[in-house]
Amino acid sequence: MALEHGERPLEEGIRTDLREALDYGTYLDLDRLLSAQHPVSDPVHPDELLFIVQHQTTELWFKLVLHELRGVRGYLEADDVDRARKALARVKHIFRTLTEQWSVLATLTPSEYGGFRDALGPSSGFQSHQYRGVEFILGNKNARMLGVFDAKPAVRAELQDLLDTPTVYDALLAFLARHGHDVPADVLGRDVREAWVERPDLVPVLAALYDDPRTHWEGYAICEDLVDLEDAFQLWRFRHLRTVQRTIGFKTGTGGSSGVGFLQRALELTFFPELYSVRTGIGGGPS
């Protein structure tokens, strides 16, 4: 039967009377979500909405990343490697999505951003507590950062918990120790409130996994998952750097950081340094 006026008829089974049912918008709380964008420029700059949506979307993804990484830590503590790997796979895909998302913000030209940048005041992504939480649970801990959130007790408490509890890497190393690998006792008993620093004595432990992955498949595979995660995270950081550079050049950041220079130094941070160092000895040297 030909369509009249180009209209597509509804299938008979589609429910249209939702007056007493849970509908899509209610389930997702769209009234609140879609009314949470409040431009501060005056008059409102047409490109500020892009800037707000970009960062709000990122925060939603960070919420899921933290949820999944807490899950990874718990699964490893319970020796449930399959679920830990599944959650890590999800986080890797989230960071790939976040990396590609920078291409949308990169359409904001310097003159467009300059039209509302001053209205942002000192607000900055540096103040994202969820980003800081992701760094904490992956090992880049810094107790001094808690002071940024003194005005928000609930936020500070969440970060304090992530500061005081083991990282994903701590959970992995404890898992390896429980399964017969000679992880140094002082590594297992370290102060988890401190930022992770490379431990050369861990490299031989990891080398045993990489030298015989068939025998040590679970440990080997999850180590590679963490390398994948770090790569995805670093690509996101790099794309952030390039987006900022093309938008504001080498201006100081709104939060007072050095901008591009600050982001450049972040690229030097490594969550799981031994998982990269172990590669140097794999397969031997040149003949």
Side-chain angles (χ1 to χ4, degrees):
M1 177 179 177
L3 299 182
E4 296 181 6
H5 310 297
E7 293 181 355
R8 179 185 178 186
L10 291 176
E11 295 179 0
E12 291 184 4
I14 293 179
R15 183 172 176 178
T16 57
D17 184 357
L18 298 168
R19 285 171 291 186
E20 297 182 3
L22 178 66
D23 66 2
Y24 177 81
T26 302
Y27 174 67
L28 295 178
D29 202 2
L30 289 184
D31 285 346
R32 182 163 55 165
L33 184 65
L34 298 179
S35 61
Q37 295 73 46
H38 306 292
V40 294
S41 53
D42 185 19
V44 173
H45 192 285
D47 294 306
E48 190 178 353
L49 182 61
L50 161 63
F51 192 80
I52 293 171
V53 168
Q54 169 89 19
H55 289 83
Q56 287 182 336
T57 304
T58 297
E59 290 296 331
L60 286 172
W61 283 123
F62 280 164
K63 181 174 183 176
L64 183 56
V65 166
L66 275 171
H67 171 76
E68 297 294 341
L69 290 177
R70 287 187 176 102
V72 171
R73 184 176 61 186
Y75 297 142
L76 287 173
E77 290 170 348
D79 290 343
D80 192 344
V81 173
D82 288 342
R83 293 188 72 183
R85 295 196 65 202
K86 170 66 177 180
L88 281 172
R90 183 170 291 163
V91 173
K92 289 185 287 184
H93 284 296
I94 293 170
F95 271 103
R96 289 171 185 146
T97 296
L98 285 168
T99 298
E100 181 57 32
Q101 187 173 293
W102 286 119
S103 65
V104 183
L105 192 62
T107 65
L108 188 68
T109 67
S111 57
E112 290 167 345
Y113 184 39
F116 63 87
R117 185 175 189 250
D118 288 346
L120 304 179
S123 65
S124 166
F126 177 82
Q127 300 149 13
S128 167
H129 78 277
Q130 292 195 124
Y131 170 76
R132 201 60 54 190
V134 172
E135 288 223 330
F136 277 16
I137 200 170
L138 290 179
N140 184 25
K141 297 190 177 185
N142 185 345
R144 291 178 300 173
M145 286 303 306
L146 296 178
V148 176
F149 307 99
D150 282 344
K152 298 182 177 181
V155 166
R156 183 185 168 112
E158 180 182 350
L159 281 176
Q160 184 73 58
D161 178 70
L162 289 169
L163 181 75
D164 294 340
T165 52
T167 69
V168 168
Y169 201 31
D170 289 321
L172 169 64
L173 295 174
F175 166 83
L176 292 177
R178 289 194 302 274
H179 289 265
H181 299 279
D182 297 325
V183 180
D186 60 330
V187 170
L188 296 173
R190 81 179 191 94
D191 184 351
V192 298
R193 296 170 297 179
E194 297 294 328
W196 181 267
V197 293
E198 184 166 8
R199 289 291 304 257
D201 52 349
L202 260 183
V203 175
V205 179
L206 298 172
L209 302 178
Y210 280 84
D211 286 340
D212 190 3
R214 183 171 296 181
T215 300
H216 309 294
W217 177 255
E218 284 190 333
Y220 167 80
I222 204 159
C223 283
E224 285 297 277
D225 289 334
L226 291 185
V227 173
D228 287 344
L229 171 57
E230 173 131 355
D231 282 354
F233 194 100
Q234 290 286 42
L235 285 171
W236 176 79
R237 276 177 169 160
F238 178 73
R239 195 70 176 90
H240 183 191
L241 164 68
R242 297 298 296 181
T243 301
V244 169
Q245 188 172 6
R246 71 177 285 161
T247 306
I248 66 168
F250 295 92
K251 291 186 180 73
T252 300
T254 51
S257 75
S258 57
V260 167
F262 178 81
L263 297 174
Q264 183 73 52
R265 289 190 295 277
L267 289 172
E268 300 171 2
L269 298 172
T270 302
F271 295 121
F272 319 118
E274 297 83 5
L275 293 179
Y276 290 88
S277 296
V278 72
R279 285 157 159 73
T280 303
I282 295 173
S287 57

